[in-house]
Amino acid sequence: MSTATPGGFAPWPAAYAERYRAAGWWRGETFGQMLRDRSAAHPDRVAIVDGDRRWTYRELDERADRLAAGLLGQGIGKDDKVVVQLPNTAEFFEIVFALFRIGALPVFALPAHRESEIRYFCEFTEAVAYVIADVHAGFDHRTLAAKVRADVPTLRHVFVVGDPGEHTSLAGIAQEPVDIHGGPRPDDLAFLQLSGGSTGIPKLIPRTHDDYIYSLRGSNDICAIDEDSVYLCVLPAAHNFPLSSPGTLGALYAGARVVLCPRSDPDTAFPLIEREGVTVTGLVPPLALLWIEAAERGGYDLSSLEVLLVGGAKFSEEAARRVRPALGCTLQQVFGMAEGLVNYTRLDDPEEVIVTTQGRPISPDDEILIVDGEDNALPPGATGHLLTRGPYTIRGYWNAPEHNARSFTEDGFYRTGDVVRRTESGHLVVEGRAKDQINRGGEKIAAEEVENHLLAHPAVHDASVVAVPDPYLGERTCAYVILRAGAEPLKAPAIKKFVRERGLAAYKVPDRVEFVDAFPQTGIGKISKRDLRAHGGA
Ligand code: OOB
């Protein structure tokens, strides 16, 4: 019997858990054991390629063991939260598997996150440690870490990959492996993932070993990942898409090879594809377009590439049609969410289905409802709100009862905030979005979060952030701002600078700022974001 575990994790009701086990979706696996098994089965196969470093399965397994011992030695143990913010480096996998092994929970931050986000993750999860690179993309993470550590009392450790400065070297804590007692069970939490967010405060997504590993196994079947696959990780490794769809963890589950790409541009990625014989990778739509254009210019042998997954935001039909001719591989559209549900077009779907839909769910037990504004089911083919429930979709955010009451129905369906329709073949087409979020080329921005930062400016009376169309990113952000009566006149760059200096990730800083005297209103006097969006698109 599962009951609520500490930290506000809402597990699946027992009847569902039993059903998912009986169906063979949940097989009682854990990540720690998974790596152990793969290492025993083929110790000398290469698991991770990072530049000139090539770690075999045995090496990754041993490193995870030594680091797990080191973490225990530092007093970190089961259920402790550790914020992990690393670029695409081999150490990301070393620390994550070490944490998995001892049952401590990685909290996955993105390299782009800055003080505002990191401070919140550390405070909200009462994290005991924060793992960073020394300097990445010109940003010194150690300085940020020192500030956050000074303010967050639970945060006892900062571990650094590279030059630790005033902090502790991650490599330096590794120890001789020890027996680990009381490691995680398959139905325990494995990590906390970040939600794209549509509210002022980001929400955390609790995923278990059982449920996440099922999504990997299901993805591997659908994407034909086997031990001969070579997966190129281009997007930030901590994001759910490159992590699990089928992603690096899917590839490791299959005993395949993961190649880490330090940057996403074709000049970095194409030589790696050629050198490593990459067979599969995943991109967001703007990057896919960039790659298509670079491939059309020629110059690299990309013939090893069999599958390109594109998702995170809507991929236009026009761009989708160019994938096969330009890159010589099969496109797989993927419409997923860190909360769970992932849809894929199938490799053997007709080309028309591949280029015009965002796929169908992984699991026969993924329940899909398409409803109107009052949760009434709509007739087949109609466009409406997507609700979902299933063996790898969470039943609640971590420690967020108020959000949960809004984001989940009483019978446990997750309100995705996406507006979709279902074709006769069961494929979903994403038609829009009902949540207050901007999807900037796959990077999600909660309007309210940015609005709160704008409202902190002494000259700002009110602010409203909306998406405006963009030919490359799909959407960009536009902040509409009403200044206080009598306030000093402000210019857009000053507002952007203010938001940036509050420590918000760069991708959330408004692309455009427009000053207005009043906001358009809806019939009942709320701000009409629809009218603002229409204005922004003009
Ligand atoms: C992925 O995960 P998140 O959590 O960053 O964002 C989820 C949201 C979805 O609710 C939807 O609004 C949007 O991103 N989205 C798409 C899409 N894929 C995601 N919208 C239109 N078309 C698509 N293909 O973005 C994510 C997680 C796992 C796999 C792939 C993407």
Side-chain angles (χ1 to χ4, degrees), residues 501-523:
E501 285 175 354
R502 285 178 61 84
L504 204 61
Y507 68 88
K508 297 181 190 169
V509 175
D511 294 300
R512 248 170 70 189
V513 180
E514 302 266 338
F515 296 97
V516 291
D517 294 330
F519 293 139
Q521 296 195 339
T522 63

Side-chain angles (χ1 to χ4, degrees), residues 457-461 482-490 516-517:
H457 193 290
V460 171
H461 168 69
I482 302 175
L483 292 177
R484 272 184 208 285
E488 290 273 305
L490 261 183
V516 291
D517 294 330

Side-chain angles (χ1 to χ4, degrees), residues 318-393:
E318 194 187 36
R321 285 194 193 279
R322 290 167 67 189
V323 168
R324 194 186 293 277
L327 291 154
C329 64
T330 302
L331 166 68
Q332 239 182 334
Q333 295 213 39
V334 45
F335 161 43
M337 51 208 74
E339 286 81 356
L341 180 70
V342 180
N343 304 274
Y344 295 100
T345 56
R346 301 310 198 250
L347 293 171
D348 59 358
D349 274 340
E351 190 74 7
E352 277 311 294
V353 171
I354 291 177
V355 299
T356 59
T357 81
Q358 280 65 59
R360 58 187 172 83
I362 291 178
S363 177
D365 260 339
D366 280 322
E367 297 172 72
I368 299 289
L369 289 177
I370 298 174
V371 300
D372 66 13
E374 274 78 51
D375 286 355
N376 302 306
L378 291 172
T383 298
H385 301 279
L386 170 64
L387 311 183
T388 186
R389 185 169 74 173
Y392 59 97
T393 296

Side-chain angles (χ1 to χ4, degrees), residues 215-233:
S215 81
L216 302 180
R217 203 175 338 103
S219 296
N220 281 352
D221 285 348
I222 292 166
C223 306
I225 303 295
D226 61 25
E227 60 176 26
D228 295 322
S229 301
V230 181
Y231 179 85
L232 185 70
C233 178

Side-chain angles (χ1 to χ4, degrees), residues 83-375:
V83 175
V84 177
Q85 185 186 31
L86 289 176
N88 291 358
T89 52
E91 285 83 359
F92 174 83
F93 297 91
E94 185 179 7
I95 180 73
V96 162
F97 275 98
L99 293 167
F100 285 157
R101 232 161 227 177
I102 63 174
L105 308 184
V107 180
F108 287 126
L110 297 173
H113 286 140
R114 291 295 177 261
E115 193 179 332
S116 169
E117 292 93 358
I118 298 297
R119 181 185 297 277
Y120 175 75
F121 302 148
C122 291
E123 274 173 356
F124 183 57
T125 65
E126 301 182 343
V128 299
Y130 173 35
V131 184
I132 52 172
D134 47 9
V135 178
H136 176 64
F139 183 78
D140 193 329
H141 289 271
R142 295 166 300 191
T143 315
L144 188 160
K147 271 197 200 167
V148 175
R149 192 177 166 199
D151 295 344
V152 180
T154 58
L155 197 64
R156 299 196 303 270
H157 310 275
V158 174
F159 299 124
V160 185
V161 174
D163 174 1
E166 66 185 278
H167 308 292
T168 308
S169 154
L170 184 74
I173 66 165
Q175 288 181 3
E176 278 308 300
V178 293
D179 282 337
I180 296 163
H181 303 287
R185 296 184 327 185
D187 59 352
D188 281 339
L189 294 188
F191 56 83
L192 297 174
Q193 183 59 276
L194 305 181
S195 87
S198 54
T199 49
I201 290 171
K203 289 164 289 188
L204 296 177
I205 296 168
R207 302 290 302 257
T208 64
H209 293 262
D210 258 341
D211 93 77
Y212 210 66
I213 290 178
Y214 169 46
S215 81
L216 302 180
R217 203 175 338 103
S219 296
N220 281 352
D221 285 348
I222 292 166
C223 306
I225 303 295
D226 61 25
E227 60 176 26
D228 295 322
S229 301
V230 181
Y231 179 85
L232 185 70
C233 178
V234 178
L235 299 171
H239 187 271
N240 202 60
F241 176 17
L243 195 62
S244 68
S245 303
T248 56
L249 293 182
L252 293 175
Y253 185 87
R257 179 176 303 186
V258 170
V259 178
L260 298 171
C261 199
R263 283 178 304 280
S264 57
D265 56 283
D267 289 338
T268 306
F270 286 7
L272 264 180
I273 295 177
E274 204 175 89
R275 185 183 94 189
E276 299 294 334
V278 167
T279 62
V280 50
T281 186
L283 298 176
V284 288
L287 275 180
L289 260 182
L290 206 68
W291 282 36
I292 289 169
E293 274 153 25
E296 283 168 348
R297 288 195 295 274
Y300 290 100
D301 177 6
L302 305 177
S303 58
S304 62
L305 200 61
E306 292 165 9
V307 176
L308 175 67
L309 291 126
V310 179
K314 178 89 178 247
F315 197 33
S316 75
E317 181 184 332
E318 194 187 36
R321 285 194 193 279
R322 290 167 67 189
V323 168
R324 194 186 293 277
L327 291 154
C329 64
T330 302
L331 166 68
Q332 239 182 334
Q333 295 213 39
V334 45
F335 161 43
M337 51 208 74
E339 286 81 356
L341 180 70
V342 180
N343 304 274
Y344 295 100
T345 56
R346 301 310 198 250
L347 293 171
D348 59 358
D349 274 340
E351 190 74 7
E352 277 311 294
V353 171
I354 291 177
V355 299
T356 59
T357 81
Q358 280 65 59
R360 58 187 172 83
I362 291 178
S363 177
D365 260 339
D366 280 322
E367 297 172 72
I368 299 289
L369 289 177
I370 298 174
V371 300
D372 66 13
E374 274 78 51
D375 286 355

